[in-house]
Structures are given as C-alpha cells and as structure tokens.
Amino acid sequence: MATTPKVAAKTVLVADDTAFVRDRFRVAIEGAGHKAVTAQNGPELLGCLRTGKAEIDLIVLDLRLPQGNGVAMLRAIRKMDQDRPSVMVFSGTIKSADEVRELGTLGVTGYVNEYMAVQHIVPALVPHLFPDSSNRRSSPRVVLGVPVAYRFGNTIAAALTLDISRGGLAVRTTSPLAVGTAVKVRFRLTKKDIDAEATIAWTDRRIGMGLQFTKLTAGNQAHIDDYIQGHFFSNRKA
C-alpha cells in the first residue's frame, strides 16, 4: 500500500450569491479537514481578501456576484496580488467559450460545477489547493461517476471516477498510489471504451488520486473533448 504524506489544511474562499451553493461547498471543504470562508457579493469577497489574504489558498468564484460580476472582479483580485490566491470559477456562471479563454489570461486555474454532488467537491478542488504536487490544468472538469480499471505493475485495481478533464481523471480510492506511479487505465465513456496511459499527479487518502494522461489516441482524446464540451455548460446560472 502506498504511503501518502499528511495533507496540510488549506483555506478556501467560496464566493457565490446562492446560500445553497455556499453551504454545500463549506460543508464539503470543512468535512475534509480544510477551512471555508464564504462571501455573497463583491464587497464581501474583497473584504475577506484585504483582512486575510495571506491565509486564503483558493477562491472559488461566481462570475455573476452582485456588486462585482465578471472579469472586473478577477482584475480587482489580481491587482491586490498577481499570484495568490489561486482562482477557480463556477462553470455555471460562464457565458461562453470566449469568456473561458479570457479567464485563462487572468490566471484562472480551473472550473467547477456548483451543483455537483457533495462527495465530488473536494476532489475537484484538490489539484488547485496543492498545485506543487498536482497536474495544474486549466481545462474544465466535468463530474463523471463510472467504473475505471487501472493497472500498475502486475496489479489490476478497480475504482470509481469522480471527474474528468481533457488531461486526466480524478478517482475515488482509499488506497491511492504514490505520485509519479505509471498506470494503464480503462473506462467507458458514452458507450465507448477509453484506454490510456497515465501517471499519478496527486493523492489524498481521504479522497483518492488524480491521473494525468500521458498517452491517448487521437480518437479517444476527441471523444473526451466532445464529452466535456457537451456537459461543461449544462448547468448555467441565469
């Protein structure tokens, strides 16, 4: 069994005007041993940063916050600090693919569905909470709960996926492998079997592990891209 180092607690600022979203993310984050701070509008968000910026490791942001919506809020955040904290955006608050490209220029590190199941929330945040030991991708992540088989050495194991991006998978397991371990994976995505080679990009014994694809056929990559494109904007906030 792989040995996973103790994970340091992090602080996440969840900024959304909907109490339901804020509460679900707060419960998931605190349940995983981290700290959650919440804000329901732009002034509250900036106030949290001014009073405790050094303690906040990640912001999960609603782009349509009252009194601070859109990229103007991101520009204000980056004016306070060019590099910290990391910022993820709630995918349902994005208007278009063009906006995704603009967000990338402002240092957004990822996207998360605000209505995903509670058990999927922290795995989606982990690569952005621990970027030094994770594959830090800016491509969208989509919740995916399907069986996956992975082989390392002469051992074959099975688990359940948590989410997928064009660059890899998050997998739920209580026995994560060591970071850097090479694996071969197989899972089924919309009636098509996907085979890939990957390496372990991050691990957390309370959640699972992240797999970064290292070898994938062009056809399988196109199939994954189509799936993500079709599901990324499926939960839009009005």
Side-chain angles (χ1 to χ4, degrees):
M1 181 178 293
T3 299
T4 304
K6 185 178 180 180
V7 178
K10 300 285 186 174
T11 300
V12 183
L13 171 54
V14 181
D16 194 284
D17 65 343
T18 305
F20 174 74
V21 173
R22 294 195 306 271
D23 290 345
R24 291 172 70 255
F25 272 71
R26 177 183 56 77
V27 168
I29 291 164
E30 292 177 348
H34 301 294
K35 180 181 178 180
V37 179
T38 62
Q40 61 182 331
N41 56 48
E44 280 192 12
L45 168 57
L46 294 179
C48 289
L49 290 174
R50 291 190 183 101
T51 59
K53 179 176 62 177
E55 299 178 0
I56 295 174
D57 300 288
L58 174 67
I59 299 172
V60 189
L61 178 64
D62 170 3
L63 284 184
R64 311 303 158 202
L65 275 181
Q67 300 173 269
N69 59 11
V71 297
M73 176 58 65
L74 273 169
R75 294 187 190 282
I77 292 170
R78 287 300 173 229
K79 188 175 181 180
M80 297 172 69
D81 192 320
Q82 288 293 321
D83 301 316
R84 295 192 71 256
S86 299
V87 177
M88 296 182 72
V89 167
F90 285 123
S91 58
T93 69
I94 297 172
K95 290 181 178 179
S96 66
D98 288 339
E99 192 168 46
V100 172
R101 286 188 284 272
E102 184 174 12
L103 294 173
T105 68
L106 295 172
V108 170
T109 63
Y111 308 90
V112 61
N113 185 330
E114 56 266 52
Y115 298 110
M116 67 169 57
V118 171
Q119 65 268 28
H120 297 323
I121 290 174
V122 174
L125 305 186
V126 162
H128 306 273
L129 286 172
F130 303 97
D132 292 338
S133 60
S134 302
N135 172 37
R136 190 169 177 173
R137 298 185 298 271
S138 59
S139 60
R141 294 172 183 270
V142 173
V143 173
L144 180 68
V146 300
V148 58
Y150 55 97
R151 180 172 181 168
F152 52 101
N154 295 321
T155 302
I156 298 176
L160 190 69
T161 61
L162 291 167
D163 62 47
I164 185 171
S165 76
R166 76 181 313 273
L169 293 168
V171 174
R172 178 174 293 282
T173 175
T174 57
S175 301
L177 303 174
V179 170
T181 301
V183 297
K184 293 183 177 181
V185 298
R186 168 173 282 192
F187 58 98
R188 192 166 182 82
L189 186 66
T190 58
K191 300 181 180 181
K192 178 178 174 61
D193 288 330
I194 304 293
D195 291 290
E197 295 181 16
T199 57
I200 306 304
W202 60 264
T203 66
D204 186 330
R205 194 173 299 283
R206 296 168 297 184
I207 299 165
M209 60 187 180
L211 281 63
Q212 177 183 355
F213 296 141
T214 56
K215 186 175 182 180
L216 193 65
T217 67
N220 282 345
Q221 183 70 76
H223 191 73
I224 292 172
D225 292 348
D226 288 344
Y227 179 86
I228 292 171
Q229 181 67 28
H231 289 78
F232 182 52
F233 295 106
S234 61
N235 288 294
R236 292 279 304 279
K237 177 175 284 192

